[in-house]
Amino acid sequence: MDEPLTILVPTRDEEDVIGTTVETLRRMFPDAEVIVADDGSRDGTAETAEAAGAIVLRLPRRGKGQALSAAERAAPPGALLLCDADLSGELAPLLEGGGDLNVAAFAKREGGGFGLAKRVARALIEVLAGFEAGEPLSGQRALSPAARRACFPVAAGFGCEVRMTIDAARSHLSVREVELPLRHRPTGRNLRGFVHRGKQLRDTLYACGPLGVNFRGLRLPLVGWKVGLTNGPAVAAVAALGVTDDLWSGPERGFRAHLVSGRTTGILKLVGIPAVGLVATRKLSGALLVGLAANALNQLDTRPGRALKAYLAAAVPLEAPVRVAVLLLPYDLREMAMLGDAGSNALGALLGLNSVKRFTGRGQWVAIGALAGLTIIGERTSIGAWIERTPGLAWIDRLGRA
């Protein structure tokens, strides 16, 4: 690779090794910029890396993939070299011999578990991209500018490497594995090692599922479909309609844009969600409440935690289920996952269905009027901007957000 090179090093609590790693990288690649993405370290990692000559991004703790995506956004144009903080060995061969995505394969294996996470990762890459990977979890990678465009922002957490390989192979870029005599701190068959590999396996599975890009440019797993798993067939159907929008939606936003465009996933939801409400409640008011409440929560899902907070505030008086929302809230707030349309629509449908149970006929129509008014306002202006301008609501909105 002859393009300008930037080296990205994601790290957390690596004060004892990060200085040596940065110094080694600067000696090997004197013309490259080294960016250390400090993922919420509690020790002196950031200061040590800075003293060694790296540019340091001090980030809240979100995960490896989120740290890499933030570092890539801060990097100048050109090729990238990704390196783990505890690595020792020569990485220059990764930049030789062509290839868009070059992955280091360790010549000698040290430590490790029983290989379950690696086998699952290999199988998913082969099924989803048709590429047979020997080292699917290796964090030592060189990316050409074309691979950088195809792979970033990367998937969240420890799933970033697996999804990176999938994205490069799907983009018909050349993917090579290069065997190198590298060393890193091994994880053993102890509690800490098994917890780490469990996180790898979890993040790998999420990385191969539906993903979305949030307002900060982080690529996160869409986990809102979980709302539909335990709340009955009507909510499951609404979540399924939301999944179609998560996977295949176009650039259209708002009812007007979808109506003008014609056949969109938004039109499918516009028809399908009220139809689910009608079947579930056998009432026109039920159809309207489910459809409008689902849209209202979707309108609010533009910042971490906003839709879930609104849901919890309404769920208590309506006696709607709160367990799944409480479980998802910390992950949404910390930008480790996103609701997506599947989650926001399903939560809105839950509110609509419980409104039918709790309100009288007149109360239902009052709620319909309020939700319709909110929908009209959302078509004309940004509800999120209005929330951020209102002092009390702005404080609640920011509460718990990184």
Side-chain angles (χ1 to χ4, degrees):
M1 297 183 183
D2 299 323
E3 298 85 358
L5 179 68
T6 304
I7 304 171
L8 308 184
V9 185
T11 184
R12 178 192 297 155
D13 296 335
E14 297 282 10
E15 179 183 13
D16 56 336
V17 296
I18 189 63
T20 301
T21 299
V22 170
E23 290 170 359
T24 301
L25 289 171
R26 294 188 68 219
R27 185 172 62 253
M28 289 180 183
F29 308 100
D31 297 327
E33 188 173 87
V34 180
I35 300 178
V36 170
D38 182 18
D39 187 34
S41 290
R42 296 158 295 182
D43 59 11
T45 295
E47 292 77 11
T48 304
E50 219 162 38
I55 297 170
V56 178
L57 301 183
R58 290 171 169 83
L59 305 169
R61 181 173 176 174
R62 293 194 180 101
K64 181 179 183 180
Q66 294 93 317
L68 276 173
S69 292
E72 187 272 337
R73 286 168 66 89
L80 297 177
L81 177 65
L82 313 185
C83 175
D84 290 339
D86 60 350
L87 186 80
S88 62
E90 177 61 61
L91 290 175
L94 279 184
L95 303 174
E96 300 168 358
D100 291 296
L101 174 61
N102 297 332
V103 181
F106 285 65
K108 181 180 179 181
R109 178 181 174 182
E110 296 179 350
F114 297 105
L116 176 61
K118 185 175 288 189
R119 287 197 299 272
V120 170
R122 284 173 179 155
L124 287 170
I125 291 171
E126 186 167 5
V127 169
L128 296 176
F131 178 76
E132 295 184 11
E135 287 289 346
L137 303 176
S138 173
Q140 311 357 286
R141 293 167 177 245
L143 291 83
S144 70
R148 179 178 176 177
R149 289 190 295 271
C151 299
F152 277 87
V154 295
F158 294 114
C160 54
E161 288 94 0
V162 172
R163 188 60 188 243
M164 194 185 303
T165 301
I166 291 170
D167 289 338
R170 282 180 170 176
S171 299
H172 307 292
L173 300 174
S174 59
V175 181
R176 298 190 311 133
E177 293 188 342
V178 183
E179 189 174 281
L180 298 175
L182 304 175
R183 296 175 61 89
H184 70 117
R185 186 169 53 226
T187 55
R189 293 182 180 177
N190 50 30
L191 178 60
R192 181 178 179 182
F194 286 122
V195 168
H196 172 73
R197 286 184 288 276
K199 291 178 180 178
Q200 274 188 319
L201 181 58
R202 177 203 63 192
D203 291 351
T204 293
L205 293 172
Y206 278 134
C208 294
L211 304 175
V213 178
N214 77 349
F215 76 107
R216 209 188 300 276
L218 301 178
R219 195 175 178 196
L220 306 176
L222 298 171
V223 299
W225 50 267
K226 294 183 177 182
V227 178
L229 295 181
T230 57
N231 291 289
V235 178
V238 172
L241 289 167
V243 168
T244 64
D245 209 28
D246 287 328
L247 295 177
W248 298 296
S249 65
E252 302 84 9
R253 294 293 179 268
F255 284 137
R256 187 181 305 170
H258 284 291
L259 290 172
V260 170
S261 296
R263 297 179 181 179
T264 68
T265 53
I267 294 294
L268 179 63
K269 291 198 305 178
L270 179 62
V271 175
I273 294 178
V276 171
L278 182 62
V279 171
T281 64
R282 299 183 181 180
K283 293 181 178 181
L284 176 60
S285 59
L288 293 172
L289 278 170
V290 169
L292 289 169
N295 182 67
L297 264 291
N298 198 23
Q299 284 182 312
L300 291 172
D301 191 30
T302 55
R303 290 294 185 272
R306 183 176 290 169
L308 283 166
K309 290 176 184 176
Y311 172 81
L312 290 170
V316 173
L318 291 174
E319 298 183 0
V322 298
R323 185 170 180 268
V324 68
V326 170
L327 291 173
L328 291 175
L329 183 59
Y331 295 95
D332 196 33
L333 282 171
R334 291 172 60 193
E335 297 178 56
M336 299 174 73
M338 292 172 63
L339 282 179
D341 281 22
S344 58
N345 288 156
L347 289 171
L350 268 175
L351 294 180
L353 292 169
N354 279 268
S355 297
V356 175
K357 297 175 185 177
R358 294 285 295 166
F359 293 155
T360 63
R362 179 178 295 178
Q364 291 176 24
W365 287 103
V366 170
I368 288 168
L371 289 169
L374 185 65
T375 297
I376 293 170
I377 292 171
E379 288 288 307
R380 295 176 176 273
T381 187
S382 168
I383 294 176
W386 174 73
I387 291 172
E388 290 163 6
R389 289 195 302 266
T390 306
L393 291 177
W395 180 82
I396 295 171
D397 185 47
R398 291 193 301 269
L399 190 64
R401 190 180 298 160

